[in-house]
Amino acid sequence: MPSGMLARLRPFHIVDVFANEKFAGNQLAVVRNAIDMPQTDLQKFAREMNFSESSFIMMNENEFTDESNVPFKVRIFTPKLELPFAGHPTLGTAFVIQQYIIRKKVPKITLALKLGQIEVTPEYETLSDGVKLLWMKQNEPKFSRSTLSCDLLAKVLGLQRTDFDSNFPAQEVSTGVPFLIIPLKSMKALKKCQVNKERYFELIRKTKAKSVFVFAPGSHGTESKVSARMFSDYYGVAEDPATGSANGCLTAYLSHYRYFGSERVDIQVDQGYEIGRPSTLFLRTNPTGKLVNVTVGGRVVPVAEGTLL
């Protein structure tokens, strides 16, 4: 093979993020050594893979040393556009960096995203079955001043007004990316959600958030206290199997409204069961004074790897 072609070879990895097992969770393609890839090629690759997101590590690995104490520049693309931040690409990319570039245990990995710097903390022995988790710290939560009408949301989601939990508001929340956080009363209500696309697009024209995230108390037979679903046709995702950024907003919401009677949150969430991609996300807060530190964790499962020509 000509040396010029060898210079253009870039390793890539496919991983499942927040997965209970392989071929579950939210899949991600991560391309290494993407520093000199034109933006048009980044977008084309993301469209070719057709996952919810693909990420690109924008560095020359030949220049990396153990003393390279700098953030890893990463860009995230959906098949349609570039995102400033997304949860499962952040965790999945940090996993690839730790496993294949750093190649040793480190206390934290910092990703320089379009939104800003996000820290990911690997915990190497956490669960009883020995599963390793990665945790990402998200930005300080921001809540919109207004709340959303349940009558309007019922038309969007194909629900009755009585399906919504009137003890808590439906509201826009952001820990980096805004989401419409909508509390439902029961698993029955959660399972029967069916988005009316016309009503959905009418709704998001009036909001900064373009994704609808519904949750309810209960689980799919797991140890989770909450189950959730996320709908985002604006980004070309009818339903997402596992959404780290949305669950960051949910964590802030549960803490802010003391959903479990306290500002402290330490739970796991089921997502993706309705579309055959069962996922588990771990949510924590550590309130300190007026600040709420939001972290979202999950496991990352390697699926495949190869080389991009």
Side-chain angles (χ1 to χ4, degrees):
M1 185 180 294
S3 59
M5 185 173 292
L6 283 172
R8 293 194 298 273
L9 296 179
R10 299 179 180 87
F12 74 89
H13 307 266
I14 297 175
V15 296
D16 288 334
V17 186
F18 302 122
N20 296 340
E21 57 188 10
K22 189 181 290 186
F23 307 124
N26 206 340
Q27 65 269 61
L28 174 73
V30 183
V31 178
R32 294 159 46 198
N33 272 333
I35 187 169
D36 59 346
M37 286 181 69
Q39 177 158 330
T40 52
D41 285 358
L42 302 179
Q43 185 65 81
K44 287 177 181 177
F45 178 89
R47 191 176 298 120
E48 177 74 14
M49 298 307 293
N50 201 34
F51 293 166
S52 53
E53 284 97 6
S54 296
S55 70
F56 301 86
I57 303 171
M58 310 300 291
M59 67 175 294
N60 182 346
E61 292 180 20
N62 292 330
E63 297 177 358
F64 177 78
T65 67
D66 288 346
E67 290 73 38
S68 299
N69 189 24
V70 295
F72 291 85
K73 184 178 180 182
V74 173
R75 298 179 71 177
I76 299 169
F77 284 76
T78 72
K80 288 188 174 182
L81 47 81
E82 183 173 7
L83 297 179
F85 167 70
H88 90 273
T90 299
L91 278 192
T93 304
F95 173 85
V96 169
I97 289 170
Q98 195 272 319
Q99 291 287 316
Y100 301 101
I101 300 177
I102 299 176
R103 298 175 182 271
K104 64 178 182 180
K105 293 183 178 182
V106 291
K108 70 177 181 179
I109 300 163
T110 303
L111 273 58
L113 305 173
K114 199 169 184 180
L115 175 75
Q117 293 188 10
I118 299 290
E119 290 183 358
V120 177
T121 304
E123 291 190 357
Y124 297 96
E125 296 292 338
T126 55
L127 303 183
S128 58
D129 59 1
V131 168
K132 301 172 184 178
L133 298 182
L134 293 171
W135 293 86
M136 60 181 165
K137 182 180 177 182
Q138 299 195 10
N139 288 352
E140 184 179 350
K142 295 181 180 179
F143 291 76
S144 66
R145 295 182 180 179
S146 60
T147 58
L148 301 168
S149 161
C150 289
D151 291 324
L152 172 61
L153 294 173
K155 295 175 182 177
V156 173
L157 294 168
L159 299 176
Q160 301 296 317
R161 198 182 196 287
T162 53
D163 289 321
F164 296 88
D165 188 341
S166 59
N167 294 311
F168 302 95
Q171 191 173 18
E172 288 186 71
V173 184
S174 176
T175 56
V177 177
F179 288 84
L180 303 177
I181 304 297
I182 302 170
L184 302 179
K185 280 185 179 179
S186 67
M187 289 290 290
K188 182 179 178 181
L190 186 80
K191 290 177 181 180
K192 72 178 183 180
C193 286
Q194 189 169 359
V195 173
N196 180 308
K197 290 189 179 183
E198 182 178 350
R199 297 283 191 179
Y200 160 82
F201 280 104
E202 287 177 4
L203 171 66
I204 65 169
R205 279 197 288 269
K206 304 170 186 175
T207 59
K208 289 183 180 179
K210 306 305 178 189
S211 303
V212 175
F213 189 82
V214 295
F215 75 96
S219 74
H220 292 267
T222 69
E223 297 179 2
S224 296
K225 288 188 175 181
V226 167
S227 293
R229 299 177 70 181
M230 198 281 277
F231 308 100
S232 190
D233 275 295
Y234 176 84
Y235 294 110
V237 181
E239 182 167 355
D240 208 34
T243 321
S245 48
N247 274 279
C249 296
L250 175 62
T251 309
Y253 180 100
L254 297 174
S255 175
H256 181 77
Y257 288 108
R258 297 174 180 263
Y259 188 85
F260 295 109
S262 169
E263 284 184 307
R264 291 194 178 276
V265 175
D266 188 1
I267 64 168
Q268 61 187 63
V269 173
D270 287 344
Q271 192 181 334
Y273 282 75
E274 290 77 10
I275 56 174
R277 300 284 301 190
S279 310
T280 302
L281 301 97
F282 297 80
L283 314 185
R284 285 182 184 168
T285 60
N286 182 25
T288 54
K290 293 183 179 181
L291 296 178
V292 176
N293 295 316
V294 170
T295 55
V296 175
R299 68 190 79 185
V300 180
V301 181
V303 174
E305 59 185 58
T307 304
L308 179 65
L309 298 178

